[in-house]
Structure formats: C-alpha cells, structure tokens
Amino acid sequence: MTVTLADVAARAQVSPATVSRVLNGNYPVAASTRERVLRAVDELDYVLNGPASALAAATSDLVGILVNDIADPFFGIMASAIQAEIGGPGGRAGGERLAVVCNTGGSPERELTYLTLLQRQRAAAVILTGGAVENAPHAAAVAAKLRKLADAGTRVVLCGRPPAPDTGAIALTFDNRGGGRELTEHLIGLGHRRLGYIAGPEERTTTRHRLEGHRAALEAHGIEDDAGRTVYGRYDRRSGYEATLELLRRDPSLTAVVAANDSVALGACAALRDSGLRIPEDVSVAGFDDLPFSIDAVPSLTTVRLPLSEAGARAGRIAMGREEPPPGGIATIRGELMVRGSSGGPRVS
Amino acid sequence: MTVTLADVAARAQVSPATVSRVLNGNYPVAASTRERVLRAVDELDYVLNGPASALAAATSDLVGILVNDIADPFFGIMASAIQAEIGGPGGRAGGERLAVVCNTGGSPERELTYLTLLQRQRAAAVILTGGAVENAPHAAAVAAKLRKLADAGTRVVLCGRPPAPDTGAIALTFDNRGGGRELTEHLIGLGHRRLGYIAGPEERTTTRHRLEGHRAALEAHGIEDDAGRTVYGRYDRRSGYEATLELLRRDPSLTAVVAANDSVALGACAALRDSGLRIPEDVSVAGFDDLPFSIDAVPSLTTVRLPLSEAGARAGRIAMGREEPPPGGIATIRGELMVRGSSGGPRVS
DNA sequence: AGCGTCTCAGCAAGCGCTTTCTATTCAATA
DNA sequence: TATTGAATAGAAAGCGCTTGCTGAGACGCT
C-alpha cells in the first residue's frame, strides 16, 4: 500500500491534521512537532496525494498552457517562458505548480476539449497562446468556456492572442497589424512595388492581422493590391515553398515576398533559390517572429521580432497573480522590425 | 455553486451511482436511463470533478512528458507525436487523457521535482525524453523514483534515453553511438583527417554516446584523436558558433566540423562563414537529428536523421498500453545518415 | 407455479486530504 | 491566586466521486 497522511501522523505521534498543517505551512505548529513530522515524512518517503488534496481544498496546482503547435519554436519559446514563471520546480518556494502544455494543433475542437479537461481538473490558471480561430460559433463556445473557467476561479490569460471581450480574461496581444505594416513599409521604402504575400491559414486572427497590416502599408503608398498576389497556406516551411512557386507562376516579375512567419519565409527562400533567383538581389524576402534560426539563414532574415519570452514570462506572472494585469485587462505588445540581409532594393528590370 | 454529480442525479431522477456509471460507461445502464442522464448533464452543463474522480477511483488521466527543453524542436516534435497518441482530445474515444509536458531545462533537480509532482498526481504514465544526466547520485535518485512510480502502477517509458535498469521502465533508445560513428565515417571516407568535434554538455548520455561514436570512427581508421579537437558546449546555436571559433583558433587547418546536433551545426556554419571560410569547399560541417530547418540551411546540412515522430508515437502507444513493449523492455532505434550539401571532400592544401 | 438467472438501479462505505471548531496548556496579567 | 488569552494540537465533518454489494423486477426454464 501507499503511504498516507495517517501513516505519517501515526509515526510522528500526532494527528493527521497536524501533518497536513506542517506540509502546508499555513498554520502555526511548534518547531519540535514540525521536525518530528518532517522526519516521519522523510522516513516513510511520503508523497502527498494530489487528487485528495485538490478535492478537499477545492483548488489544484495545475496550470494549463494551450499552444497551437508544440513542435513550433514560436510556441515552445512562449511555453518555456511561462513555465519558468509558473515556478514549477525551481521557482520560488511555496507554490509548486504543474504546468500542463496542451497541444491543440490549431483545431477548434481540441481547444475546447482541452479547456474542458482543464476545467475538470479545476486548474488554477489557463493560458492560451497564439492566434485564435476566427469562426463565430467556435469563438462563442470558447468565450463561454473561458467565462465559466473565470467564474470558477481559474485565472485566464491570453498571450499573443486577441482579447476575448466579456470573459474576464487578461489579454497580452501582439501588434501583428502594426508589425506587418512596418515590414511592408520597409520594403516599399526600399523601392519595391510588386510584393507577393504568403499568408497563414485562413480564419486565424494572426493571419488576418498581419495581412491587414501589409495591405494598409500598400494602400498608404498608393500601391494597388492585386488579390492574386496573396496566397494562403499553413505556418510551415513547406507551405512557404509551394506558395512561392505559385506566386512566381502568377507573376514572375515579383521583387519581394512577404511571409506570414519565419518558417514560411525560409521555405520561400528555398523556392526562390531553386528557381534560380538570388536573395535579395533578385527578390527580397521578409518573415515574421524572428525565431532563433532566422538569423542563421543565408542571407539572414529581415523580420519582425516579437518578444516571445518576455510576453510569456509576463503572462505567467499574471496568471500566478504575481503581477498586476494591465489596465483594462488588455496590453498590446509591439514587434520590432529587424532589417537584415534578405531584403534589399529591387532589381532594375 | 458548481454543479455536482448529485445535482445531475436529482435532475435525471436516478442515483448518483447511475450517473457515474453512465459517464464512465463501464457498467450496463438501460438506454432510456442513459439518455435521461445525458440530457441532464447537458442541461446543467455539468463537468466532472477530476480530483474527486481520481481520488475515488485511485487513478488519474494525467500523462506526464518530461523534456529537457521545450523550445527545442527536437523535444517539441517528440512531445507532439506522443501527445497525438496519448489521444488527448481527438484521440480514440474513451481515454481522454491530459498530456502534461514538463520542461526540466536539463536540470536534475527539476527533473526529480517534476517526477514527484507527477507521482503526487498519481499520473497514469510518465514518458521521459532525451538524454539523461550522467551523475551517479542523481541517476540513482531518478531510478529510485521511476521504480516507485512503476510500483504505484504508473507506466514509465523512456524515449530517446538510455535504459534505466531495474526500474521497470520501457526504453526506446536512439543509437547515438552508431549514428555518430556513421557520420564521422562518412567524412573520413570523403578524405577528411583533421576533424573538429563540438560536443554537447558534459555529463549527458547523448553527448557521451555521440562523441564515442565519433571517436570509434576515428580510431577505426587510425586517425589519432587529439583531445584539443573536441570542445564541449550546450546544445544551441550560440554554443556552436563560439566552439567553432575556438576550434579554428586551436587548429586553422581543420577540414571538417562535426557538431553534437543541428542547431550547433548551424552555429558552426555561421562562424565559419564569418571567418571567411566556405562550406563545404573549405570546411565540411555535419549535424545530428535532422530537424526540419536543417534542410533549409545553405548548404543543406549533412546529418543523422532520428525518427523523432515515430519514436514519440511508439512511446505514446506503449505508455497507453496500446502497443506491446519491445522484448526485454528495450528497443534501439537507429538513425539514418543524410548526406547533403554541407559535406564534401577536404580542400587540398 | 416455482425457481434460478439476468439486467439494471440504489445504498452506503469509503478514497486521503483540509479545515472549522473545540480542547488543552501555559504564561502573563489583574 | 484567579483570570485571560495566546499558542498549539486534535476530533470530526466533509470535499465529490466510485464501486462492491444488495435488491427488485423480468424472463425463461422445468
């Protein structure tokens, strides 16, 4: 049999209540008693029963982190920063919490199911990262879930995701629109007029915002936005490769390709090279996010740096109640344009 | 107040026991009754209380996945594959389990603490991924924990990690030694004789095994292994960059650099380029793992492909008891040499 | 008609912990 | 010396669920 609180109590010659209090440290216990209890715990190699404890105390030490793709460093970096703050092991003493990273794969159903699962576990907090799916019924369902979670005392934080009104959720949003605009303006400033755009999956807030920024820049400079210059895809390299070939087919005179993120941009680079085009002499390329590998590409990638780690850390602290939420429950986090080797003036044709 | 089983029972005019049985589907319930219960659940928007359920049933639906660095795709890919099999939401019906990805950061203490936390939660299974720390006391502590977990009925699987004897843990091990050897033999075959090696952190099984493979290859071909040709670092790009500069300083006549993994190799490439050396004309570079970005490097990286996804999926299935463990509880998974653009014959000096 | 059998539902005893309330002790105060 | 009040420990009542056991019908058999 496994060791229980009662066993420890018996061994230490105290009541179970006392053992519980020693373990939780939330009630005065004489030093001598405490020590006796601690020794018994040690000798019996006792490990608290989490479920029982959670049931009795009506709280749990689980914190859920929802990500769209755990294999994508974009999410990995945020998750890592969050976890560090959640203070799983190694964090500050006291709150030893278990961070649960849940991989939704970008699927609305999975997202909902995970939220239910976390609700079932009475999670202490839930952090949703990355773009949301833009689909009215689903958005409503998620909002309802979030509201319910908040009502049940679970702290809900959105990190790199647009605010969810009326849910009580704190939102740390990336300024994808602004970043997208800045990026395209940089290219326009370089002299580009025929820019292809490789967007992410449709019905995703991130996709839409970045694209809106791109279009706003075009419009501001009186450049007509030919719909054929935008191709939708996924947020991965492969998608970037294929989309680039498609863009090239539609208009071989392109001088720049703006990608929805860095992985896509890398795919674009590969496609361009395979098509015999030089970067940036023939075609400039720009990404988004500034993931670690982007600086390693050859040429290194012009992109928009998102402070993933900082945002994640802040979200983690807010979720733990260790930092004040931003006023109004919403904060916008801006990206920073990183001009590097993959962008240059257009070729003269 | 939150809705409880009893509320549902009252509404459906049955006993709590019946509701529980409907929800768990592990006991015959008349169709009409079942439907009535299900309707009540729906109407009340009832969500099972996880802790209570876990306490009463003495089991939980948590599955722990320990990774060294969640921001590293090496682990992300495995975790993703595992999670898909764990069948969180979206998996096959029935076992709706919550996959908990825990980020140890490569720290022994955190690893131990997470294991305790999982033990406390009475996790259904625990999967440890990636290399282990080689440090006798710590290894013993981990082994003891694993044994205890196994005794408590938690299934323990090691994925990409050497076996832990006498712990009852199933091990799917990568043949790092073999892969390392093959890689170096490839370079030797190309004519290289002065190879630098950038190892991972010391006291890590992965580091040691890959290095042993490298040295075995050197020895097999009668190449003396100058200790100065090996530099230890971390498993990241930065480390590769710095280590390469160091190697170059020690011996500018190097014709090849073998890195502990792909990220390190990319850093090495950057350092070589910054030193005015061409790849592979002046210096060949090789990585390990074959992460998705490796093929995008310019030139694309010669490396050893590890079937991360497949291994993760298999580990997940074994953890769920959905696949027979390998005979003897140990399986060795081989890597595959991927010869690409970053390796070529040595320059003629 | 009598009886074993099978199906389905309820009773009630926990699961291992937390926490309120109560009891005891002992020192400080009147 | 009697009295008050900290400080500390224990008793016991749950927390919300699962499950072994019991019981009540319904059915088919002899």
Side-chain angles (χ1 to χ4, degrees), chain A residues 24 140 208 235 278 295 302:
Chain A
N24 290 299
R208 181 163 62 79
Y235 275 127
R278 291 161 306 161
I295 200 170
T302 289

Side-chain angles (χ1 to χ4, degrees), chain B residues 5 17 20 24 46 56:
Chain B
L5 235 210
S20 169
N24 290 299
Y46 170 69

Side-chain angles (χ1 to χ4, degrees), chain A residues 5 9 14-27 29 37 48:
Chain A
L5 236 211
V14 296
S15 72
T18 302
V19 177
S20 170
R21 301 205 256 245
V22 168
L23 261 24
N24 290 299
N26 52 7
Y27 193 88
V29 173
V37 169
L48 193 68

Side-chain angles (χ1 to χ4, degrees), chain B residues 319-349:
Chain B
M320 299 299 288
R322 218 133 40 74
E323 174 175 325
E324 279 304 300
I330 298 182
T332 299
I333 299 177
R334 315 211 28 172
E336 183 191 353
L337 179 64
M338 308 298 283
V339 175
R340 295 203 274 247
S342 72
S343 61
R347 62 172 173 267
V348 217
S349 50

Side-chain angles (χ1 to χ4, degrees), chain A residues 61-325:
Chain A
D61 49 8
L62 243 55
V63 173
I65 304 176
L66 264 63
V67 302
N68 287 340
D69 181 3
I70 201 179
D72 182 339
F74 176 84
F75 293 99
I77 292 170
M78 276 198 284
S80 174
I82 294 172
Q83 223 170 36
E85 289 292 336
I86 292 303
R92 334 154 336 290
E96 229 159 54
R97 304 181 164 287
L98 227 199
V100 186
V101 178
C102 307
N103 195 23
T104 66
S107 139
E109 303 82 51
R110 270 155 167 269
E111 183 169 279
L112 230 31
T113 321
Y114 269 126
L115 285 175
T116 303
L117 235 39
L118 288 167
Q119 181 184 5
R120 169 178 306 181
Q121 298 298 332
R122 306 300 189 252
V126 171
I127 301 176
L128 293 92
T129 64
V133 171
E134 292 207 295
N135 167 299
H138 175 249
V142 169
K145 256 297 181 245
L146 295 187
R147 206 171 310 120
K148 219 156 286 163
L149 279 165
D151 287 350
T154 297
R155 230 179 293 235
V156 180
V157 181
L158 309 177
C159 182
R161 197 177 167 114
D166 306 323
T167 58
I170 307 298
L172 302 183
T173 310
F174 290 134
D175 180 17
N176 284 309
R177 207 181 273 114
R181 175 164 183 160
E182 224 180 317
L183 194 57
T184 297
E185 282 188 329
H186 156 69
L187 291 168
I188 293 174
L190 248 26
H192 294 274
R193 289 298 176 273
R194 292 187 301 284
L195 325 194
Y197 190 89
I198 307 175
E202 295 194 70
E203 294 215 318
R204 241 9 180 308
T205 54
T206 312
T207 299
R208 181 163 62 79
H209 293 155
R210 291 182 182 179
L211 181 52
E212 283 175 4
H214 170 70
R215 293 196 165 146
L218 291 180
E219 190 170 348
H221 291 265
I223 300 176
E224 198 200 341
D225 181 36
D226 180 348
R229 290 246 174 81
T230 299
V231 173
Y232 287 85
R234 279 152 293 118
Y235 275 127
D236 61 16
R237 168 179 188 279
R238 174 111 211 226
S239 185
Y241 188 94
E242 291 163 359
T244 301
L245 295 183
E246 172 66 20
L247 282 173
L248 244 26
R249 189 142 32 79
R250 294 191 191 168
D251 179 0
S253 71
L254 280 182
T255 64
V257 172
V258 182
N261 76 6
D262 289 350
S263 295
V264 172
L266 251 39
C269 288
L272 290 169
R273 261 193 309 272
D274 289 358
S275 304
L277 295 165
R278 291 161 306 161
I279 305 165
E281 292 80 0
D282 296 319
V283 179
S284 287
V285 175
F288 210 114
D289 293 343
D290 194 23
L291 295 187
F293 57 71
S294 307
I295 200 170
D296 274 318
V298 181
S300 54
L301 216 52
T302 289
T303 185
V304 174
R305 165 170 243 296
L306 250 26
L308 265 18
S309 258
E310 294 80 348
R314 186 161 167 209
R317 268 178 271 126
I318 293 174
M320 299 299 288
R322 220 133 40 73
E323 175 174 325
E324 279 305 299

